[in-house]
């Protein structure tokens, strides 16, 4: 199939080249009646030539109106075109111009080819720029999720964090009512915690509970091989959020772009500084009454630029802890569904074993334990499988 496509493409190129050649030959080349050079020169000496055009090995000319008879004029009223050989005389052009004859010169094939190559270069060059900008700063870079499909009931644990968000959701839905009381919505919330404890899921649940638009982003979305694209993406993100307000903007791996600015002069540090500066400008540029809430997730708040996380930009700092004993029991109950654990693997015993584990690690350990049982052709996994999985995951 691929070979047939190549043959078809090759044949199409041959047909296009042939068509171009014949089009040029029959449509663009001059159609003229041949005259001897002696007759041409005699007509020029007697001032009977009106226009002359030099074209390679040919000279094309028309006679003046007094000389042309009715028979020598075409049906459409245009004068008959004549041609003769070009002797390439160094004085012929000047002599014709002295006689008041209009002289011109056709572009050579080399000039036409050079012009075509110049046009092709600019088309490819600007096409590449347009393609790069459409790829890296396309309006579809940041997707707007209208319904996340996640609620607080889908999140196990984080009860204190959920309670703290209830009023923020109400302010987001009714910013004007709270503004009359002198209460503004926080511009930003930082979720700090170890990886795998559900920071992203919590942000989705908050948007789902508040029934507002949700725009997820991550640090790598702002990275680009082109300088200044990162700051432009920051502006695009916040412009889209304002248009979709009320809206929650969630930036995951925030420490990947919000790190302390370094003025060392390297390209990477310069781009990072520009991104942080763009974030500062955008966070200062919108009012809380606009209904845009920025939630940033980070594993290390100490790595972030102090100007970025000060009050007035990110007003709240919320810690997403490891699941407590009750939460671990619920997680074990959820993650063992369909895995057929042995009787000795009670949720209480598993929860005690997983003290200090993140939600994601608990799920991975239980999945690996079930995999070990399957490899041993056992219908259910044992505590021994869990212990082995804990050392491997």
């Amino acid at each position: 199939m691929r070979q047939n496509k190549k043959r078809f493409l090759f044949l199409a190129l041959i047909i296009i080249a042939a068509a171009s050649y014949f089009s040029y030959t029959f449509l663009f080349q001059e159609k003229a009646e041949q005259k001897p050079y002696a007759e041409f020169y005699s007509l020029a000496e007697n001032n009977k030539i009106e226009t002359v055009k030099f074209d390679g090995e040919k000279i094309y000319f028309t006679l003046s109106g007094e000389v042309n008879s009715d028979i020598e004029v075409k049906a459409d009223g245009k004068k008959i075109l004549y041609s003769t050989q070009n002797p390439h005389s160094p004085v012929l052009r000047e002599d014709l111009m002295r006689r008041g004859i209009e002289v011109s010169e056709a572009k050579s094939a080399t000039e036409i080819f050079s012009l075509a190559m110049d046009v092709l270069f600019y088309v490819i060059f600007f096409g590449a720029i347009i393609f790069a900008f459409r790829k890296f700063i396309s309006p579809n870079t940041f997707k707007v999720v209208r319904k996340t499909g996640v609620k607080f009931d889908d999140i196990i644990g984080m009860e204190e964090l959920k309670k703290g968000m209830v009023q923020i959701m109400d302010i987001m839905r009714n910013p004007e009512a709270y503004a009359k009381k002198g209460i503004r919505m926080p511009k930003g919330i930082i979720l700090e915690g170890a990886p795998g404890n559900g920071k992203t899921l919590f942000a989705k649940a908050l948007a789902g509970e508040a029934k507002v638009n949700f725009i997820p982003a991550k640090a790598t979305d702002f990275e680009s091989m082109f300088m200044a694209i990162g700051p432009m993406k920051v502006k695009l993100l916040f412009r889209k959020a304002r248009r979709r307000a009320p809206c929650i903007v969630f930036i995951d791996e925030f420490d990947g772009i919000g790190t302390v600015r370094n003025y060392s002069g390297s390209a990477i540090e310069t781009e990072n500084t520009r991104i942080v500066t763009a974030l500062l400008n955008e966070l200062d540029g919108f009012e809380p009454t606009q209904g845009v809430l920025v939630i940033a997730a980070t594993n290390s708040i100490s790595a972030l630029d102090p100007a970025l996380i000060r009050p007035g930009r990110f007003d709240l700092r919320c810690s997403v802890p490891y699941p407590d004993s009750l939460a671990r029991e619920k997680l074990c109950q959820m993650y063992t569904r369909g895995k057929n654990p042995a009787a000795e693997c009670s949720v209480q015993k598993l929860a005690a074993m997983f003290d200090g584990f993140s939600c994601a690690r608990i799920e991975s350990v239980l999945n690996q334990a079930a995999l070990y049982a399957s490899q041993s052709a056992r219908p259910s996994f044992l505590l021994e499988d869990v212990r082995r999985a804990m050392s491997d995951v």
Side-chain angles (χ1 to χ4, degrees), residues 283-359:
L283 289 169
D284 287 338
F286 70 85
E287 297 298 326
T289 53
Q290 290 181 317
V292 177
L293 176 64
V294 183
I295 300 179
T298 177
N299 301 329
S300 175
I301 200 168
S302 59
L304 299 176
D305 193 288
L308 192 60
I309 59 175
R310 70 161 174 80
R313 289 176 178 142
F314 284 93
D315 299 297
L316 293 179
R317 298 183 186 181
C318 301
S319 178
V320 180
Y322 286 105
D324 57 21
S325 178
L326 182 59
R328 291 198 302 273
E329 288 184 13
K330 292 181 180 179
L331 288 169
C332 290
Q333 187 176 5
M334 180 174 66
Y335 293 145
T336 53
R337 261 184 227 138
K339 293 184 172 63
N340 194 24
E344 62 179 5
C345 297
S346 65
V347 292
Q348 293 80 10
K349 189 171 290 187
L350 290 174
M353 294 173 66
F354 295 148
D355 186 20
F357 279 38
S358 67
C359 304

Side-chain angles (χ1 to χ4, degrees), residues 105-159:
E105 186 167 358
K107 291 185 179 295
S108 66
T110 304
E111 290 177 313
I112 295 173
F113 179 77
S114 177
L115 179 62
M117 289 297 101
D118 288 342
V119 172
L120 182 62
F121 168 78
Y122 284 113
V123 168
I124 294 175
F125 178 73
F126 287 108
I129 292 177
I130 293 171
F131 172 78
F133 271 80
R134 285 180 62 87
K135 181 176 178 62
F136 292 107
I137 56 172
S138 167
N140 297 322
T141 299
F142 302 103
K143 301 290 185 180
V144 179
V145 181
R146 304 193 183 278
K147 293 182 180 180
T148 62
V150 183
K151 296 293 182 69
F152 280 160
D153 291 340
D154 300 320
I155 298 178
I156 296 174
M158 305 188 202
E159 300 304 325

Side-chain angles (χ1 to χ4, degrees), residues 255-311:
D255 44 292
I257 58 170
T259 51
V260 178
R261 285 169 286 182
N262 188 334
Y263 299 95
S264 64
S266 67
I268 295 175
E269 294 296 344
T270 301
E271 182 71 354
N272 178 73
T273 299
R274 289 175 177 172
I275 292 175
V276 173
T277 304
L279 281 168
L280 293 173
N281 293 336
E282 292 299 330
L283 289 169
D284 287 338
F286 70 85
E287 297 298 326
T289 53
Q290 290 181 317
V292 177
L293 176 64
V294 183
I295 300 179
T298 177
N299 301 329
S300 175
I301 200 168
S302 59
L304 299 176
D305 193 288
L308 192 60
I309 59 175
R310 70 161 174 80

